Amino acid sequence: MGLEVKRDQLTMRRWMPRTTAFKLSNGEVIEVAAPFPYSGLTPPGGISGKMVLFNGRVQAFEKARGKIAVVTVKRRDLAAFLELVTNRRGSLPEGIDFPKAVTTPLITGLLGVPIDKAREAGVLAVVCIFEGVSEVQLKGQVLPFTTPYWGLPAIWVAQSEGERIKAASKHGLSGRLTLDGTLEDVATDTIYAVLPGCNLLETIIINTHTDGPNACEENGGAGVLALAHYFSSLPKSARNRSLVFVLVTGHFQLPQFGRHGNQATATWLEMHPELWDGKPGHAKAVAGATIEHLGCTEWRDDFAKGHPAPTGKPELDLIYTSNKSMSDVYIAAARGRKKVRALIVAPAAAQVMLGEGQPLYASGIPTISSCPIPDYLCQVLPGGGLDRLDPDYAFQQVETFARTVDLLDRMPRGEIGIVPFNLSTVIGDLL
């Protein structure tokens, strides 16, 4: 495309599982749905111990010292969380609202289990029983991605397997948990490029993240490249402001790449203030546009039937906008679309906003951020889950953001507006 590719060469401590298994002392094999990311590792032969049951939220793990803690986690619906932490601005088409129940494991997984407290109490390992989600839906979920390496192995199992573990525990049986893998320091890059406009003192940041366990989670990079291709094909005179295209690493290890509770783009912002903070000699970012999870079709888990199935609808596109002006821009940019199912919301506070638009918002940059949350968002899927993506829907989403950036580029800075005063932004500034 003729752009100068720049790289922030970073390092991370990468945890990679190889073998995950759980076996009862009577020889029964328990199906493991997924390892608990960055929990810990065992020797190749695993570790054995008596099992101690915990039902619901655990305050203290002391009774499981030297044993395997078995913790029951009940599914929490995403819709209830979003209603609590967002304010509804509008929808496309009119009348779209939060679904009554969204079975994604995301929020439950992010809330997780306090593995750190179990380690402090001297627990050998933790088995997390995820209730209310089918075994097929839970298989391969990479959750949570918000915790550091704890040094205590843990796994997820589905409710049906959990019942077998509970029964075995009541009969005094022991368990053997194996979570063999590697923990090593590796290199990882954030990639970015600047497309100059006529006004070099003002920028629009277009960002996404590059890592994820499937084609849905990590395809934002394809959208950012499409936008870079389109805008770089125009003459410089057609662009008022410089466009900064950013593909950040580390979204799935936020403890290593986030800053002050903000997501991975916060590291890039910290390293490149000259492109956004507006201080003397620096450019000022007047707006940001974030795209993630393109082309998703909606699937819903049927716990009674034991598997998820497609609904025939496009996945709901969650669109965060920092003020009314930005909402109006998005609605104007999406006008005429044939495939659109979007709910436009404002975050109640920066720290509860989902997606990599969050660090922009927390830094006071007015944003329009797309972050759909399908049930399979964080799930390792056969073939990357490409069969669950609708390329035409993805094309229309990217086209809308091309129009969005074009409209923002033409708008006077005063009309774009600002990020409303909120406590999270103030705390971030103080930190």
Side-chain angles (χ1 to χ4, degrees):
M1 301 176 194
L3 302 184
E4 181 186 355
V5 177
K6 299 182 179 181
R7 293 177 181 268
D8 292 335
Q9 297 181 329
L10 307 170
T11 59
M12 67 175 292
R13 197 181 192 201
R14 184 177 65 183
W15 170 93
M16 289 289 287
R18 282 194 298 248
T19 304
T20 309
F22 192 71
K23 192 173 184 179
L24 301 176
S25 55
N26 65 358
E28 288 186 51
V29 175
I30 299 295
E31 180 73 21
V32 176
F36 193 112
Y38 283 79
S39 55
L41 296 169
T42 70
I47 52 176
S48 298
K50 290 287 187 181
M51 299 181 291
V52 178
L53 299 179
F54 294 87
N55 189 24
R57 188 170 180 81
V58 183
Q59 300 298 330
F61 281 94
E62 275 68 23
K63 69 178 184 179
R65 184 183 302 277
K67 301 179 177 65
I68 296 175
V70 178
V71 181
T72 299
V73 180
K74 297 185 183 297
R75 192 193 82 217
R76 302 189 187 190
D77 287 331
L78 177 65
F81 170 80
L82 292 175
E83 287 179 350
L84 180 66
V85 301
T86 63
N87 299 311
R88 191 177 183 280
R89 291 191 186 276
S91 68
L92 293 172
E94 284 296 326
I96 296 292
D97 210 335
F98 293 114
K100 296 300 180 183
V102 183
T103 53
T104 173
L106 178 70
I107 296 303
T108 311
L110 292 182
L111 293 172
V113 173
I115 303 298
D116 54 334
K117 291 184 179 179
R119 182 194 62 190
E120 292 167 3
V123 173
L124 290 179
V126 180
V127 175
C128 307
I129 302 172
F130 201 132
E131 295 189 339
V133 174
S134 72
E135 188 172 339
V136 175
Q137 174 80 343
L138 187 61
K139 185 72 174 177
Q141 291 283 348
V142 184
L143 288 169
F145 50 84
T146 52
T147 56
Y149 182 73
W150 290 127
L152 181 68
I155 58 173
W156 291 104
V157 300
Q159 183 171 331
S160 55
E161 297 298 283
E163 293 303 322
R164 295 172 60 199
I165 292 174
K166 290 178 182 179
S169 176
K170 290 176 181 177
H171 285 89
L173 297 180
S174 299
R176 175 177 290 274
L177 189 150
T178 303
L179 183 45
D180 181 32
T182 59
L183 186 65
E184 59 183 344
D185 292 331
V186 299
T188 182
D189 291 356
T190 282
I191 303 165
Y192 69 101
V194 179
L195 179 62
C198 296
N199 179 0
L200 300 179
L201 294 180
E202 292 187 345
T203 61
I204 297 174
I205 296 173
I206 302 168
N207 74 310
T208 192
H209 64 85
T210 57
D211 52 330
N214 59 44
C216 155
E217 177 65 76
E218 67 172 28
N219 69 15
V224 169
L225 289 176
L227 293 174
H229 184 267
Y230 169 70
F231 284 106
S232 64
S233 70
L234 302 177
K236 183 178 179 180
S237 60
R239 297 185 303 277
N240 177 28
R241 301 175 171 106
S242 296
L243 305 182
V244 186
F245 302 98
V246 187
L247 296 90
V248 302
T249 188
H251 182 70
F252 264 67
Q253 241 308 280
L254 293 180
Q256 296 188 62
F257 292 94
R259 294 291 184 271
H260 310 306
N262 298 318
Q263 297 193 30
T265 299
T267 295
W268 181 86
L269 290 170
E270 182 179 82
M271 295 177 70
H272 301 285
E274 73 281 359
L275 293 174
W276 69 273
D277 72 3
K279 292 181 179 179
H282 293 183
K284 174 67 175 178
V286 300
T290 308
I291 53 176
E292 302 177 42
H293 320 154
L294 296 165
C296 301
T297 59
E298 184 181 70
W299 289 55
R300 287 288 174 255
D301 191 30
D302 189 324
F303 181 67
K305 292 182 178 179
H307 62 83
T311 66
K313 300 177 183 178
E315 180 61 48
L316 180 68
D317 202 347
L318 189 64
I319 304 294
Y320 288 100
T321 59
S322 56
N323 56 44
K324 184 180 183 302
S325 178
M326 298 293 264
S327 297
D328 292 343
V329 166
Y330 180 80
I331 291 170
R335 191 170 290 126
R337 267 177 58 177
K338 294 181 179 179
K339 292 183 180 179
V340 61
R341 186 172 176 237
L343 188 62
I344 305 166
V345 299
Q351 303 305 326
V352 292
M353 181 175 170
L354 301 175
E356 285 296 336
Q358 183 271 339
L360 305 184
Y361 184 87
S363 298
I365 301 171
T367 58
I368 298 176
S369 176
S370 170
C371 189
I373 311 291
D375 283 12
Y376 51 87
L377 179 65
C378 301
Q379 188 174 19
V380 177
L381 294 167
L386 282 168
D387 59 320
R388 301 192 183 192
L389 303 184
D390 177 350
D392 185 47
Y393 184 38
F395 174 83
Q396 292 186 38
Q397 289 171 309
V398 174
E399 188 177 47
T400 294
F401 267 86
R403 292 172 178 165
T404 294
V405 173
D406 184 61
L407 288 170
L408 291 171
D409 189 41
R410 296 170 187 270
M411 288 176 68
R413 183 173 164 185
E415 290 183 13
I416 292 175
I418 61 172
V419 174
F421 173 86
N422 67 76
L423 185 59
S424 297
T425 303
V426 173
I427 293 173
D429 289 342
L430 291 174
L431 291 172

